[in-house]
Amino acid sequence: MAQTIIQLPAANCSINSDMPDRNFSDYYALFLGRFQGQAVYRSLFLFEVPILPSGNIAKVELVLYIMRNDSSDCPKKFSIHRLTESFEQKTVSYDNQPIFDERPYAILTIRDEINTFIRIDITKLYNGWRQGQFPNCGVMLKSSDESRDSLVAFYSKEFENMIFAPRLEVKLRKSLAIEDETRTSNGSNGYSIGNPSEIYFFMGNEYFTDDDLNKALKYYKKAYECFDPGAQYGPKLVLMLVKVLNELDLVEEGLEVISCGLEFYPEFTDLEYIRSELLLSQGKISLAVKGFEKCLAMGDPPSNQRFIPGSGSYRAHYALSELYFELEDYDRAYRYCMEALRLKPDFTEALYKIVPILLEMHNGIGYIKSSVESFFRGSINRSSLMTIADIFIMSRKYDIALDYFVLAEKTDRDSADILYRKGMCLLYLKEFDRAVECFDSVKPGEFYEMARFRIALCEALKGNMYKASQLLEKTNEYKDDDTRTVYKTFVEILEGKKCEPINSNREESGRFVNIIFDLLSIVLTAGPPETFEKSLQLLNLIENDEVLLRLAKLYYSNGYYSLAYQEFMRSIKMFGKIDREGIKMLNRIVSKSSPKHITKEICP
Amino acid sequence: MLSLCMIVKNEEKTLARCLESVNDIVDEMIIVDTGSTDSTVAVARSYGAKVLFYKWDDSFSAARNYSLKHATGDWILIMDADDELEQSDKPKLLELMTNKNVDVYLLQTLNYVGNKPGLDVVCNLNVRLIRNCRGYRFEGEIHEQITNENPDFSKGRIRSERVKFHHHGYLHQNVIEKNKRSRNIRILQKVLEDNPDDAFTLFNVGNEFTALDNHIKALEYYGRAYSNFHPDTGYGPRLFFRMALSMNALGLYEEELKIINEGLEYYPDFTDLEYLKASLFHHQDKFTLAIRAYKKCLSMGEPPLYQSFILGAGNFRAHHALSEIYFELGDYNASYNHCVEAIRMNPDFTLPLNRIAQVLDKKGVKMDVIKSKLENFFEAIPDRTPFITLERVFSGLKRHDIALEYLLRAEKTDRDSADILYRKGMCLLYLKEFDRAVECFDSVKPGEFYEMARFRIALCEALKGNMYKASQLLEKTNEYKDDDTRTVYKTFVEILEGKKCEPINSNREESGRFVNIIFDLLSIVLTAGPPETFEKSLQLLNLIENDEVLLRLAKLYYSNGYYSLAYQEFMRSIKMFGKIDREGIKMLNKIFILPRRIMVSEVKDNGANNNSTSCG
């Protein structure tokens, strides 16, 4: 790991459109985005650019700690701008705010993150300042869409605990790197703050972002040994330690830290939540149930211990719903899913789960539709229609999804993504002509090339092989060579031609495997059985030892359990390939029916 | 005055046990023989029975009624030769005869399902006690039902009570008498010719097919019975129970669940059906549903007598099942609590002690503490039984040292008992104390354990490296009837000597017999032998023609905690023989959940065992 130099801001301040003449320079937090339909906040930062030997900088990141996130249910975009005029922390206000370059330097998205650091790469900007391309007047952070509520807050340098202050992390290349241990010696590298535990914690974070989990663990452990539970970073340290232990598969140790952590912080629901998840992954179902129920009894943790949103409320309900769903305990799954949605009606995961639950409970489709719509509280707009359509696609209810795409189309005609996805629904419903019509209307842009391939597929499934080939010829100019290769081979197979291997390189074949299975999963639903059977030849034309495992999973997820069983066996026999998910599926298959009955199932 | 009435045919093996159990409470014995060719009649007469002869006319009822005619007592006790009265219920039985308001008693029959009389009990209610001279008689060719020639006959005078008879007729060995079953089917089908929709007869044909393990045919007849069924018939609950069991045997789980739910609609107190539902959920890994269903059994309690087929479905057995589920889910506290409840509700049911020991062991409790905790379950230790029970518990934990301690204590009360000596020898064998083991085996007197003890001595010598002695000992076993064990042991010794061996068996059908012997041997060698010996002995698997050997080997590794070796063999079993089963998949699933660390360190520890067999 390279040496990192930490710089604290020389100035930071936020400005507020609602109080345009006021200065907030001594406040401990920095605000960003629109608040409750009125006030718009922006934040300004200035860092000194020291003189360094040139060419040594590997990466520069602006690191901020999110301490408030009001609209945590939706992603919010923020932009960073270079200031072209300097500002004074003590006097700057919304009215006298400095001029800034309108072109955003970078965009960042904040979703439901809370009590965590975010990082923004500003290497180029920093180098520009350093090399004198433009003067260093600082940067501004603002919401990309100031017409939407999006309030987020970070700790400012005025906050008592410097570990959470905004900072620049300047990573140097090896030439300047010094031994790790010297980083912890106070003062020399900008770590002039806090006690050793805090510094170790910080080091742990560094290594964690660098994906060096073993080193991260080493420092988190050191930090944990001498940490003061009363310190601000305490809960986060415990959480990170648990996280790293789990990722390193040191589950038992992780569970111990959780137990201790809960003694320090009895209201730290997130820990109980993680413990329940761990128990579940170990198959300890009854203990996991008790754990999640305990989360609900604890409620959400105090704000300084809140890292997993809803761990004591909607998320724990949802976890229970998923657990019960897996065990085919649908009444319970329904109850908990509904409760999660009652607490948080826009909780996407739960919205996606409610349809499969209602289907398993043999509810009528009309009822299911109105249930789902009810969660959108009457605000059925383009985005909610698209979400609902997507939810039904997940459950393979293409006809229902189609209805919603048609409605969405009314609000936004000619939208490429609506047209493309509508086309896909029609394709799955075997309405090839109407599908082609939709794909054909997709204008050049994001979905265009894929739509052209899908048209060729429709033609092939209609039996128009010549037309399909012709269409594929026309895709020569597209950059997606792999898809073209697969589709062309597919058509050749259907035509009964002898085909060249698609790929004989084991390493590269992964790319093709994904395209082939995307194709196969469509053909399995939309094509006649003979066509699917033929198209399986694609799997012989690549050199990849996971194809039978993937095929088995494809069959499984389409409900063809005996075929899935057969392919799992072949995958083991021919390639020695099986994985956790595959074994779980096998276990499910044999528990549904005794093996002698599995073989009776009719082939598609 | 009480008269025993029986009909018999060739029952010399069981009759004495039956008569012995009621000898001191009946005042006369009327035994109708329908054509015995063995010593049945002599046995009967030795108990002072009045023996009558009746020419068999394909009707049990007719023969039964003939026996009733000769009874002179106030009450008639009805038994079959393979029945035995529960001794502790004698006073209760005598008490029943004092109730003036009852004419007919239905009493409980416990049928033993497995190979040995033990804990897998299914119960029935049968007509056992009838007031004489009130016009009661039997109808029906095979499965008699009680009727009364008097039209005023009131059902209110029939009552069921918890007096138990042990029925040994459904034990596996006896069921092998398939001819009897076929004969029954023949008779019943004759009845059906005249009355093709008679639900009770259809039900009985189904039962006969069930006894023959022909579940498809059984279901066919149960289904026909069900379509003509009225919920208030006596056999109604039984029909649902049987249908559910047959569907389960055929793996028709969805249908089973459906029929159980229908049955519970008719009979909401029918705990046994709820119990079957819970077992089904458990089998399908639907753990939360299974837990709730078993808890429902507990809240329902024991069903009415005529709906009681599984002993303890509403109490101890449901607790036991819950303890099993919770153990499987790693919820050790809950498992422990249900074990204790199960034992509390039925102190004769000591099976949960095994689980309790495992739970305590998993929780890292010290062996001394486990020992005293388990001992505390026994109020007093009057005889050797608790020691034997505890020995089995600790052998199950593979703590052969502690098991041995209990055997030594049991020995004090029962010196020279062959089974104690034999088990002691086995403990010592597992503990690699071969000389002391040989001493024990050597003291086993001729009888049940004798031949096996001789084979074990040869094994001890082989493991000590005395191949010549081992061979000599095996030569001496030529006179024993157990050829298969001799063949396997001889081959084992030859392999260890490095000799080239003949195939043990090349007949796929027959090889199953040898597989069991080989795996019994392998599991001993895995614990008691050095790794190289185990490695060599795996060659046994190459010398039989059987496609389940790798699957069995994988399971052997698994149950000894060698998870990565188990994984390897499961894979090989699938690759080479295409063999895997539910249990194997469950084990694989568990292996995948294990932390990677465990797998890795285990491979290091047991590297020597890798790549051992070369089947194929």
Side-chain angles (χ1 to χ4, degrees):
Chain A
M1 181 174 167
Q3 188 200 356
T4 303
I5 290 177
I6 304 297
Q7 284 182 284
L8 297 175
N12 69 18
C13 191
S14 42
I15 51 176
N16 176 354
S17 66
D18 218 25
M19 292 182 256
D21 51 357
R22 265 193 62 187
N23 172 270
F24 303 94
S25 63
D26 52 359
Y27 201 62
Y28 72 92
L30 299 166
F31 295 95
L32 211 55
R34 194 182 73 165
F35 179 59
Q36 295 190 345
Q38 320 195 27
V40 170
Y41 289 91
R42 297 172 173 179
S43 290
L44 307 167
F45 299 88
L46 178 69
F47 291 93
E48 301 288 350
V49 178
I51 302 146
L52 292 164
S54 61
N56 284 325
I57 290 172
K59 193 178 190 184
V60 182
E61 285 175 312
L62 173 60
V63 182
L64 302 167
Y65 191 85
I66 305 179
M67 44 85 69
R68 180 166 164 179
N69 183 352
D70 284 13
S71 326
S72 61
D73 44 311
C74 59
K76 301 161 289 290
K77 287 194 170 141
F78 297 95
S79 48
I80 184 161
H81 298 264
R82 181 171 63 82
L83 295 179
T84 55
E85 190 182 52
S86 50
F87 69 96
E88 277 293 323
Q89 177 169 340
K90 290 282 174 213
T91 57
V92 69
S93 69
Y94 199 86
D95 278 347
N96 69 13
Q97 62 180 294
I99 302 169
F100 58 92
D101 185 345
E102 293 281 351
R103 293 167 300 174
Y105 171 77
I107 302 280
L108 69 142
T109 304
I110 296 178
R111 290 182 179 80
D112 58 0
E113 295 94 332
I114 184 78
N115 288 326
T116 187
F117 289 102
I118 53 153
R119 301 171 164 269
I120 310 155
D121 188 329
I122 57 161
T123 315
K124 264 194 182 164
L125 190 58
Y126 190 88
N127 278 327
W129 289 330
R130 209 162 51 92
Q131 289 153 13
Q133 286 171 23
F134 30 73
N136 173 18
C137 301
V139 291
M140 171 189 281
L141 245 72
K142 61 186 276 289
S143 167
S144 299
D145 180 359
E146 290 183 329
S147 64
R148 270 181 58 196
D149 280 355
S150 54
L151 191 80
V152 167
F154 312 103
Y155 284 117
S156 84
K157 76 184 177 73
E158 311 307 323
F159 183 57
E160 60 200 18
N161 192 329
M162 294 305 282
I163 202 90
F164 297 105
R167 60 177 188 258
L168 269 196
E169 289 187 17
V170 183
K171 289 208 169 74
L172 303 180
R173 285 190 213 289
K174 284 259 152 52
S175 58
L176 260 188
I178 356 168
E179 278 303 294
D180 277 342
E181 299 301 324
T182 62
R183 300 179 58 188
T184 56
S185 60
N186 264 358
S188 59
N189 296 315
Y191 290 107
S192 52
I193 39 160
N195 62 37
S197 167
E198 218 167 318
I199 293 164
Y200 289 134
F201 168 59
F202 196 68
M203 302 272 296
N205 289 342
E206 296 279 299
Y207 283 110
F208 185 78
T209 7
D210 270 20
D211 253 347
D212 187 344
L213 294 181
N214 287 308
K215 282 221 164 144
L217 177 62
K218 179 178 152 195
Y219 284 103
Y220 283 140
K221 273 189 169 171
K222 278 187 168 186
Y224 184 65
E225 275 163 23
C226 55
F227 93 118
D228 167 15
Q232 182 76 19
Y233 66 92
K236 179 89 181 180
L237 167 61
V238 173
L239 191 88
M240 291 307 290
L241 179 54
V242 169
K243 197 168 171 181
V244 173
L245 283 168
N246 292 343
E247 285 195 21
L248 291 171
D249 211 20
L250 299 166
V251 179
E252 293 306 316
E253 223 179 306
L255 287 170
E256 266 172 46
V257 174
I258 289 175
S259 297
C260 292
L262 279 166
E263 302 228 333
F264 292 129
Y265 312 110
E267 296 172 304
F268 197 174
T269 317
D270 292 20
L271 288 183
E272 190 63 46
Y273 185 88
I274 295 176
R275 169 153 66 191
S276 310
E277 282 189 322
L278 280 176
L279 291 167
L280 185 58
S281 73
Q282 293 179 323
K284 296 179 177 173
I285 288 154
S286 59
L287 292 172
V289 168
K290 287 174 205 166
F292 288 125
E293 280 170 355
K294 186 152 177 233
C295 289
L296 292 173
M298 289 166 83
D300 281 337
S303 61
N304 69 326
Q305 294 165 20
R306 210 173 282 175
F307 307 99
I308 303 170
S311 64
S313 53
Y314 65 91
R315 195 173 296 272
H317 276 114
Y318 178 67
L320 283 164
S321 173
E322 275 206 306
L323 180 154
Y324 284 118
F325 185 81
E326 273 290 298
L327 297 170
E328 300 181 29
D329 194 344
Y330 300 119
D331 291 339
R332 294 267 161 131
Y334 175 74
R335 209 185 304 165
Y336 282 102
C337 197
M338 288 302 280
E339 193 54 23
L341 284 167
R342 193 185 63 78
L343 294 169
K344 194 169 163 55
D346 58 349
F347 187 33
T348 323
E349 284 139 290
L351 281 171
Y352 275 85
K353 193 95 229 174
I354 198 75
V355 170
I357 294 174
L358 289 169
L359 283 170
E360 289 289 356
M361 292 171 82
H362 307 293
N363 283 289
I365 202 75
Y367 174 76
I368 298 178
K369 279 169 70 175
S370 62
S371 301
V372 174
E373 285 171 19
S374 72
F375 294 112
F376 290 89
R377 304 243 165 109
S379 67
I380 303 287
N381 50 30
R382 179 189 192 277
S383 98
S384 57
L385 287 168
M386 294 295 276
T387 308
I388 297 175
D390 218 36
I391 289 171
F392 282 101
I393 286 179
M394 285 297 185
S395 292
R396 294 167 200 275
K397 295 286 168 200
Y398 302 110
D399 48 342
I400 311 296
L402 185 63
D403 294 345
Y404 287 101
F405 283 130
V406 171
L407 287 173
E409 219 179 4
K410 285 184 185 153
T411 68
D412 188 4
R413 205 161 287 280
D414 300 333
S415 147
D417 72 328
I418 296 181
L419 281 168
Y420 178 78
R421 290 158 77 184
K422 196 179 143 196
M424 287 306 292
C425 274
L426 289 162
L427 170 46
Y428 278 115
L429 291 166
K430 308 189 190 188
E431 297 212 34
F432 303 122
D433 290 331
R434 285 179 65 198
V436 168
E437 223 172 275
C438 285
F439 291 132
D440 228 5
S441 322
V442 174
K443 300 244 161 65
E446 199 188 340
F447 293 92
Y448 181 74
E449 296 192 0
M450 216 43 222
R452 306 316 296 174
F453 284 119
R454 299 305 196 198
I455 293 175
L457 174 57
C458 288
E459 293 299 341
L461 290 175
K462 278 166 69 184
N464 301 334
M465 296 306 154
Y466 179 68
K467 199 160 179 190
S469 315
Q470 271 192 316
L471 286 164
L472 290 172
E473 283 309 321
K474 284 190 202 154
T475 64
N476 275 337
E477 71 230 53
Y478 305 161
K479 56 178 189 280
D480 190 351
D481 289 331
D482 297 348
T483 304
R484 184 171 45 255
T485 311
V486 171
Y487 275 57
K488 275 188 169 176
T489 313
F490 170 69
V491 172
E492 283 166 16
I493 288 173
L494 294 195
E495 288 178 312
K497 289 187 188 159
K498 203 173 142 43
C499 304
E500 293 295 305
I502 294 175
N503 183 282
S504 53
N505 183 327
R506 220 171 258 269
E507 311 281 297
E508 278 181 13
S509 62
R511 276 162 29 206
F512 292 99
V513 170
N514 288 332
I515 299 170
I516 291 174
F517 275 92
D518 169 77
L519 183 60
L520 287 178
S521 89
I522 297 173
V523 177
L524 184 58
T525 307
E530 312 83 63
T531 306
F532 180 75
E533 193 95 341
K534 279 190 196 162
S535 59
L536 286 177
Q537 286 180 44
L538 285 167
L539 303 180
N540 299 327
L541 301 173
I542 48 167
E543 199 59 44
N544 186 292
D545 56 3
E546 294 205 348
V547 288
L548 293 181
L549 188 57
R550 294 273 303 252
L551 180 60
K553 290 179 184 178
L554 176 65
Y555 281 136
Y556 181 88
S557 56
N558 282 273
Y560 297 120
Y561 298 120
S562 76
L563 288 169
Y565 183 87
Q566 225 168 285
E567 295 305 324
F568 278 127
M569 291 297 125
R570 288 217 302 151
S571 173
I572 295 172
K573 277 188 204 168
M574 297 177 59
F575 301 119
K577 276 277 169 186
I578 189 75
D579 60 6
R580 171 91 200 264
E581 190 189 25
I583 289 289
K584 250 189 139 169
M585 289 174 174
L586 267 178
N587 198 23
R588 263 284 176 88
I589 293 170
V590 292
S591 73
K592 276 185 190 296
S593 181
S594 63
K596 52 184 175 229
H597 285 272
I598 293 170
T599 48
K600 277 195 193 159
E601 183 196 308
I602 303 141
C603 296
Chain B
M1 188 179 152
L2 176 61
S3 309
L4 171 71
C5 286
M6 302 177 67
I7 48 177
V8 295
K9 183 180 178 184
N10 291 339
E11 320 272 10
E12 63 175 11
K13 279 186 200 154
T14 57
L15 185 59
R17 177 177 56 201
C18 169
L19 298 179
E20 198 65 49
S21 75
V22 294
N23 199 13
D24 55 343
I25 58 164
V26 299
D27 302 288
E28 66 172 354
M29 295 177 178
I30 312 292
I31 296 185
V32 173
D33 187 85
T34 59
S36 292
T37 52
D38 64 358
S39 62
T40 300
V41 172
V43 175
R45 288 203 169 119
S46 74
Y47 281 86
K50 181 175 177 190
V51 180
L52 304 161
F53 297 94
Y54 182 84
K55 187 166 180 297
W56 180 250
D57 56 359
D58 273 2
S59 166
F60 279 93
S61 295
R64 189 76 81 196
N65 290 332
Y66 180 76
S67 76
L68 298 189
K69 262 198 276 181
H70 293 82
T72 59
D74 309 311
W75 287 86
I76 298 168
L77 176 65
I78 302 199
M79 288 175 79
D80 285 329
D82 43 10
D83 290 330
E84 183 186 2
L85 174 64
E86 163 63 38
Q87 294 304 290
S88 59
D89 284 346
K90 271 184 197 168
K92 218 165 155 188
L93 179 79
L94 295 171
E95 175 76 27
L96 296 181
M97 297 189 289
T98 61
N99 189 332
K100 292 197 171 67
N101 301 318
V102 182
D103 286 348
V104 176
Y105 283 104
L106 301 171
L107 305 177
Q108 285 181 297
T109 306
L110 310 188
N111 292 306
Y112 299 95
V113 183
N115 278 313
K116 273 186 184 171
L119 294 154
D120 284 318
V121 183
V122 174
C123 36
N124 292 327
L125 277 186
N126 295 90
V127 173
R128 288 290 185 185
L129 200 56
I130 310 170
R131 200 186 288 274
N132 200 4
C133 307
R134 291 285 170 93
Y136 290 100
R137 50 179 281 117
F138 286 98
E139 271 183 7
E141 269 64 16
I142 303 272
H143 298 273
E144 319 93 320
Q145 285 179 307
I146 193 93
T147 60
N148 197 302
E149 53 209 13
N150 182 350
D152 302 336
F153 155 73
S154 151
K155 279 203 169 171
R157 298 190 66 83
I158 300 182
R159 183 177 291 184
S160 45
E161 286 290 343
R162 288 183 198 270
V163 169
K164 294 187 279 296
F165 292 81
H166 303 283
H167 179 68
H168 300 276
Y170 286 164
L171 284 182
H172 213 271
Q173 265 179 324
N174 309 25
V175 175
I176 290 170
E177 300 165 17
K178 290 192 175 168
N179 297 334
K180 194 167 156 191
R181 295 288 164 193
S182 310
R183 185 194 60 178
N184 287 354
I185 291 174
R186 208 184 58 236
I187 297 169
L188 288 166
Q189 272 167 342
K190 220 163 69 190
V191 177
L192 282 180
E193 278 169 24
D194 303 329
N195 202 350
D197 293 331
D198 182 55
F200 185 63
T201 310
L202 289 166
F203 168 66
N204 283 322
V205 179
N207 290 342
E208 295 300 332
F209 279 114
T210 296
L212 288 171
D213 268 341
N214 187 344
H215 299 288
I216 294 172
K217 271 275 178 203
L219 262 186
E220 184 191 318
Y221 280 92
Y222 290 144
R224 284 172 63 190
Y226 186 40
S227 57
N228 296 302
F229 138 97
H230 292 287
D232 49 355
T233 49
Y235 64 91
R238 214 175 153 68
L239 174 62
F240 281 102
F241 190 76
R242 290 287 188 141
M243 277 197 282
L245 287 183
S246 298
M247 287 166 177
N248 190 282
L250 291 170
L252 301 170
Y253 302 141
E254 274 175 41
E255 292 84 345
E256 184 190 354
L257 185 60
K258 192 163 160 274
I259 209 72
I260 289 175
N261 285 332
E262 283 173 22
L264 282 167
E265 293 269 318
Y266 286 117
Y267 311 109
D269 301 330
F270 196 174
T271 315
D272 294 47
L273 277 190
E274 188 68 32
Y275 188 90
L276 288 187
K277 192 203 284 198
S279 310
L280 174 63
F281 285 147
H282 186 184
H283 177 78
Q284 295 188 297
D285 285 355
K286 297 177 185 175
F287 297 109
T288 56
L289 289 169
I291 289 172
R292 280 214 301 289
Y294 282 126
K295 287 190 174 163
K296 177 125 187 260
C297 289
L298 291 172
S299 69
M300 289 166 86
E302 285 288 85
L305 267 178
Y306 70 99
Q307 293 170 8
S308 174
F309 308 120
I310 305 170
L311 204 61
N315 50 57
F316 74 90
R317 203 174 289 273
H319 275 300
H320 180 61
L322 281 166
S323 78
E324 297 289 309
I325 294 192
Y326 282 119
F327 186 83
E328 197 178 335
L329 298 178
D331 195 344
Y332 300 127
N333 290 335
S335 175
Y336 184 91
N337 292 338
H338 284 289
C339 284
V340 173
E341 277 305 299
I343 296 176
R344 202 178 55 78
M345 289 188 159
N346 182 0
D348 292 337
F349 184 61
T350 54
L351 200 59
L353 286 177
N354 294 291
R355 196 52 88 198
I356 287 175
Q358 275 176 306
V359 166
L360 295 171
D361 190 34
K362 288 265 182 199
K363 292 177 79 174
V365 175
K366 285 203 183 102
M367 273 299 150
D368 288 349
V369 181
I370 299 181
K371 275 168 65 181
S372 71
K373 279 213 173 206
L374 289 180
E375 283 171 24
N376 284 342
F377 276 96
F378 297 95
E379 204 166 52
I381 302 191
D383 59 18
R384 61 175 218 150
T385 320
F387 295 125
I388 299 290
T389 306
L390 290 168
E391 182 265 325
R392 277 169 211 232
V393 169
F394 285 94
S395 284
L397 280 184
K398 299 189 197 290
R399 285 304 301 256
H400 303 289
D401 51 339
I402 298 173
L404 184 62
E405 283 173 29
Y406 284 112
L407 284 173
L408 292 173
R409 286 164 75 180
E411 211 177 17
K412 280 182 191 155
T413 65
D414 190 3
R415 205 162 288 282
D416 299 332
S417 147
D419 74 322
I420 293 180
L421 281 170
Y422 179 78
R423 297 184 72 85
K424 211 175 124 192
M426 287 308 291
C427 281
L428 289 161
L429 170 48
Y430 278 116
L431 292 166
K432 307 187 192 192
E433 297 211 34
F434 303 121
D435 290 332
R436 286 178 65 200
V438 169
E439 223 172 89
C440 286
F441 290 131
D442 230 3
S443 325
V444 174
K445 302 243 161 63
E448 198 188 341
F449 294 90
Y450 181 72
E451 296 192 1
M452 215 43 224
R454 307 315 296 174
F455 285 117
R456 299 303 196 198
I457 293 175
L459 175 57
C460 287
E461 293 300 342
L463 290 175
K464 279 166 69 183
N466 301 334
M467 295 306 154
Y468 179 68
K469 200 161 179 190
S471 313
Q472 272 192 317
L473 285 164
L474 290 173
E475 282 308 320
K476 284 190 200 154
T477 64
N478 275 336
E479 72 229 53
Y480 304 163
K481 59 175 188 281
D482 190 350
D483 288 329
D484 298 346
T485 305
R486 184 171 46 255
T487 311
V488 170
Y489 276 56
K490 275 190 168 175
T491 313
F492 170 69
V493 171
E494 283 166 16
I495 288 172
L496 294 194
E497 288 178 311
K499 288 187 187 158
K500 200 169 144 40
C501 304
E502 292 296 305
I504 294 175
N505 182 283
S506 52
N507 182 325
R508 221 169 257 270
E509 311 280 297
E510 279 181 11
S511 61
R513 276 159 34 204
F514 292 99
V515 171
N516 288 332
I517 300 169
I518 291 174
F519 274 93
D520 170 78
L521 183 62
L522 287 178
S523 89
I524 297 172
V525 177
L526 184 59
T527 306
E532 314 81 71
T533 306
F534 180 74
E535 188 115 344
K536 280 187 196 162
S537 58
L538 286 176
Q539 285 178 45
L540 285 167
L541 303 181
N542 298 328
L543 300 173
I544 48 168
E545 199 60 43
N546 187 290
D547 57 3
E548 292 204 351
V549 289
L550 293 181
L551 187 57
R552 294 275 301 253
L553 181 59
K555 290 179 184 178
L556 176 65
Y557 281 136
Y558 183 90
S559 59
N560 280 275
Y562 298 121
Y563 299 113
S564 67
L565 288 170
Y567 177 81
Q568 223 169 282
E569 296 305 328
F570 279 127
M571 290 296 119
R572 289 217 303 150
S573 173
I574 295 172
K575 278 187 204 171
M576 297 177 57
F577 301 121
K579 276 278 167 185
I580 188 74
D581 60 4
R582 176 81 212 275
E583 191 188 22
I585 290 174
K586 263 196 137 164
M587 289 175 174
L588 273 173
N589 201 17
K590 284 256 160 90
I591 291 173
F592 269 95
I593 295 175
L594 291 172
R596 292 185 289 269
R597 222 162 1 98
I598 292 182
M599 300 278 290
V600 174
S601 64
E602 178 219 319
V603 173
K604 276 186 207 146
D605 296 347
N606 297 284
N609 282 343
N610 281 330
N611 304 322
S612 30
T613 45
S614 55
C615 292

